[in-house]
Amino acid sequence: MPLDATYYKGETSDSPDLTDTSTENIKNNLRNMMYDTSVTIVIISPNMKKSKWIDWEIEYCLKNNTRKNRTSHTNGVVGVIMKHNYDYSWFKSISINDDGCCPSSYQENLVYNIINKNRFIQNSKKYVCNKCKTVDTLTGSYIAYVEEEEFLANPTKIHK
């Protein structure tokens, strides 16, 4: 990562303690931290919906935000599926269609609605198979899902 890059790594031990502050103050702090970012990596985990803030962070990264004649544009978003109990079946399942395509399906109830509502927003649909309308994992969805091991092995693959 270039030295002049700005990134926000989520809440860490160095983050300000916002537990005794107002909801609006928390939202403003998150909005400020997300302002200069261009890519958001969301860890899809079995407990992600227990977070009070992830959906706000996703909301801020999906909006254009203008300050002092400068606009922070919509981020690219990648959902990295955490490996849990040695696999990804807690969230992802794969089926085989009659035509041989192997589409993946996901447990949408385990992620925030903002992710589900924004996954397939595109100007034109991009399919792996036009016959069964199977969407490509990386190019057919605005918020792409990728398994943790695949992401860690080749994090730049998502930039194709």
Side-chain angles (χ1 to χ4, degrees):
M1 179 173 291
L3 294 176
D4 63 343
T6 301
Y7 59 96
Y8 164 62
K9 295 192 283 184
E11 299 312 302
T12 67
S13 60
D14 295 329
S15 299
D17 183 4
L18 301 176
T19 54
D20 293 330
T21 189
S22 70
T23 300
E24 200 54 42
N25 188 39
I26 293 169
K27 287 182 174 186
N28 284 334
N29 273 284
L30 292 173
R31 191 177 297 115
N32 289 338
M33 288 185 272
M34 299 292 290
Y35 180 74
D36 283 326
T37 63
S38 59
V39 175
T40 301
I41 300 170
V42 179
I43 306 301
I44 309 296
S45 71
N47 296 315
M48 80 176 293
K49 285 180 74 175
K50 290 183 180 179
S51 168
K52 299 175 185 175
W53 302 348
I54 292 174
D55 57 334
W56 295 340
E57 292 167 329
I58 295 168
E59 176 186 346
Y60 301 143
C61 80
L62 292 175
K63 292 181 176 178
N64 288 338
N65 189 356
T66 302
R67 297 178 183 173
K68 298 180 183 177
N69 298 325
R70 186 173 157 272
T71 301
S72 173
H73 294 286
T74 303
N75 284 8
V77 184
V78 179
V80 177
I81 306 167
M82 185 176 108
K83 192 172 189 177
H84 181 69
N85 292 332
Y86 307 105
D87 66 16
Y88 304 97
S89 64
W90 67 271
F91 183 67
K92 177 181 178 180
S93 60
I94 300 173
S95 59
I96 300 174
N97 290 346
D98 292 339
D99 63 2
C101 286
C102 300
S104 298
S105 59
Y106 303 94
Q107 299 291 327
E108 292 180 347
N109 62 311
L110 298 178
V111 297
Y112 289 100
N113 286 335
I114 194 167
I115 293 173
N116 293 323
K117 289 179 181 177
N118 285 282
R119 283 203 61 229
F120 296 107
I121 295 175
Q122 299 179 334
N123 290 335
S124 61
K125 295 282 185 195
K126 297 176 185 175
Y127 300 109
V128 173
C129 176
N130 285 322
K131 182 178 177 183
C132 68
K133 303 298 183 196
T134 301
V135 177
D136 182 271
T137 305
L138 295 179
T139 62
S141 173
Y142 185 75
I143 299 178
Y145 287 146
V146 62
E147 294 176 358
E148 175 183 2
E149 291 173 315
E150 181 181 358
F151 179 77
L152 292 173
N154 188 3
T156 61
K157 181 177 180 180
I158 59 173
H159 299 294
K160 288 183 177 181

